[in-house]
Amino acid sequence: MINQSVSINHNHLQLSGVLHLPERKQHEKVPLIVLLHGFIGSKVGEHRLFVKAARYFTGKGFGVFRFDFSGCGESDGDYVDVTVTNQLDEVQTVLNYVSKLNAIDEQNIILIGHSLGGAVAALTASRDRRIRKLVLWSAVGIPYEDITEILGERAVSIANRSGKVDYQGFYVSRSFLNDLKNHQPLEAIRSYDGEALIIHAKEDEDIPKEHTVRYLKSLQQRGQSKEVSTHYIENADHTFSSYRFEDELFAQSAEWLEKWQRQLNLKSVL
């Protein structure tokens, strides 16, 4: 297993990432999972969720790339300049980078997004044909409503009045909030033409679990035969903060991905 720190240039900012590769034969290309963190998050994740996820999926034969959006974690920039529009551009830069790596099967790129990262993943999948599989973990469905609910009325009022608000040590800007209104992942995802898995914490205190059904209905409206699966993790909170919740989250995701990988391998043999 190989872990490699990576710095990717994006509009004069350096995005900090880590590439995880499984043991593989020489010249073998592996499917790649790109992990997208959420609101004021990082590539480590709460209780190291993304570090654990990367190790788990790498153990299953997948490559994994996790990175910090600008203004987050170890990447350049300040959170006051963050918008979802900018994050969508950063994902494109990351996808351009990873798709050219010799170890990666550029025809088998998977997005996994948690919380606001789930909304970014859905929006990206709707417009980028390189995304072959999509997995959403407790994903934001209505960005402006979901995030302002987390912030609370007082914080939103301060941001609108003053241009920014200090939220848990991050400046959240009025521009960030206004930009959220421009993005509707529940509608956009109808343009995604691949398979999807939607997992939600049953006791999510931040993002409504009803978004699972909303995403499912949107994907079913595509009129395609592509499979969409859903799963709720009983008693889990928004960040899946116990080993039991994590184990189920990872196992359900890997089992679903491995099923499609087996079908892909069978087609390549035939």
Side-chain angles (χ1 to χ4, degrees), residues 68-139:
D68 296 318
F69 285 110
S70 63
C72 301
E74 297 179 305
S75 287
D76 289 349
D78 297 303
Y79 208 85
V80 73
D81 299 317
V82 169
T83 64
V84 166
T85 295
N86 289 343
Q87 291 186 335
L88 289 167
D89 289 342
E90 289 168 15
V91 174
Q92 288 300 303
T93 295
V94 167
L95 291 173
N96 291 342
Y97 173 83
V98 298
S99 62
K100 295 175 183 175
L101 296 173
N102 291 332
I104 299 308
D105 179 0
E106 69 277 8
Q107 300 298 317
N108 199 352
I109 295 177
I110 302 146
L111 276 188
I112 297 182
H114 174 248
S115 194
L116 185 58
V120 174
L123 291 162
T124 298
S126 73
R127 62 184 72 174
D128 193 321
R129 298 299 182 230
R130 290 176 292 188
I131 306 307
R132 299 306 171 92
K133 300 290 178 290
L134 175 67
V135 182
L136 305 180
W137 291 348
S138 286

Side-chain angles (χ1 to χ4, degrees), residues 24-270:
R24 60 191 182 91
K25 299 175 184 177
Q26 190 175 15
H27 305 306
E28 179 186 7
K29 292 182 178 289
V30 297
L32 179 73
I33 295 170
V34 178
L35 294 172
L36 304 183
H37 70 75
F39 177 56
I40 64 170
S42 78
K43 65 179 179 294
V44 173
E46 292 195 53
H47 50 91
R48 304 181 78 228
L49 179 68
F50 299 124
V51 175
K52 297 172 187 174
R55 291 173 178 169
Y56 184 94
F57 292 121
T58 306
K60 298 289 185 179
F62 294 89
V64 177
F65 189 78
R66 55 188 177 89
F67 73 100
D68 296 318
F69 285 110
S70 63
C72 301
E74 297 179 305
S75 287
D76 289 349
D78 297 303
Y79 208 85
V80 73
D81 299 317
V82 169
T83 64
V84 166
T85 295
N86 289 343
Q87 291 186 335
L88 289 167
D89 289 342
E90 289 168 15
V91 174
Q92 288 300 303
T93 295
V94 167
L95 291 173
N96 291 342
Y97 173 83
V98 298
S99 62
K100 295 175 183 175
L101 296 173
N102 291 332
I104 299 308
D105 179 0
E106 69 277 8
Q107 300 298 317
N108 199 352
I109 295 177
I110 302 146
L111 276 188
I112 297 182
H114 174 248
S115 194
L116 185 58
V120 174
L123 291 162
T124 298
S126 73
R127 62 184 72 174
D128 193 321
R129 298 299 182 230
R130 290 176 292 188
I131 306 307
R132 299 306 171 92
K133 300 290 178 290
L134 175 67
V135 182
L136 305 180
W137 291 348
S138 286
V140 162
I142 309 173
Y144 183 78
E145 290 185 14
D146 291 346
I147 299 302
T148 55
E149 181 69 22
I150 291 171
L151 288 170
E153 291 183 10
R154 182 174 180 275
V156 172
S157 176
I158 293 171
N160 286 330
R161 185 174 66 253
S162 305
K164 62 185 179 182
V165 63
D166 184 341
Y167 180 75
Q168 297 185 11
F170 292 85
Y171 275 134
V172 176
S173 71
R174 179 171 56 216
S175 298
F176 171 82
L177 297 179
N178 288 337
D179 182 72
L180 291 174
K181 300 174 185 177
N182 298 327
H183 301 289
Q184 304 299 330
L186 288 169
E187 296 177 10
I189 202 170
R190 295 171 194 158
S191 299
Y192 169 58
D193 62 0
E195 288 81 15
L197 170 64
I198 308 161
I199 299 179
H200 214 105
K202 193 69 175 288
E203 302 301 327
D204 197 319
E205 72 282 12
D206 288 333
I207 304 302
K209 63 180 180 294
E210 289 78 14
H211 286 341
T212 298
V213 174
R214 294 177 181 126
Y215 272 114
L216 175 63
K217 288 182 177 179
S218 290
L219 287 162
Q220 289 175 333
Q221 290 175 9
R222 298 178 296 172
Q224 300 177 6
S225 59
K226 301 290 186 178
E227 180 183 314
V228 183
S229 301
T230 62
H231 181 77
Y232 294 98
I233 297 183
E234 295 290 336
N235 302 314
D237 61 343
H238 181 62
T239 65
F240 307 95
S241 60
S242 83
Y243 278 104
R244 181 170 69 82
F245 302 151
E246 290 175 345
D247 289 347
E248 186 173 346
L249 178 69
F250 300 160
Q252 288 289 330
S253 301
E255 181 180 333
W256 185 83
L257 289 170
E258 287 174 326
K259 177 183 70 174
W260 293 111
Q261 194 61 35
R262 286 192 296 270
Q263 292 187 15
L264 185 64
N265 291 341
L266 181 60
K267 288 181 180 178
S268 64
V269 171
L270 296 176

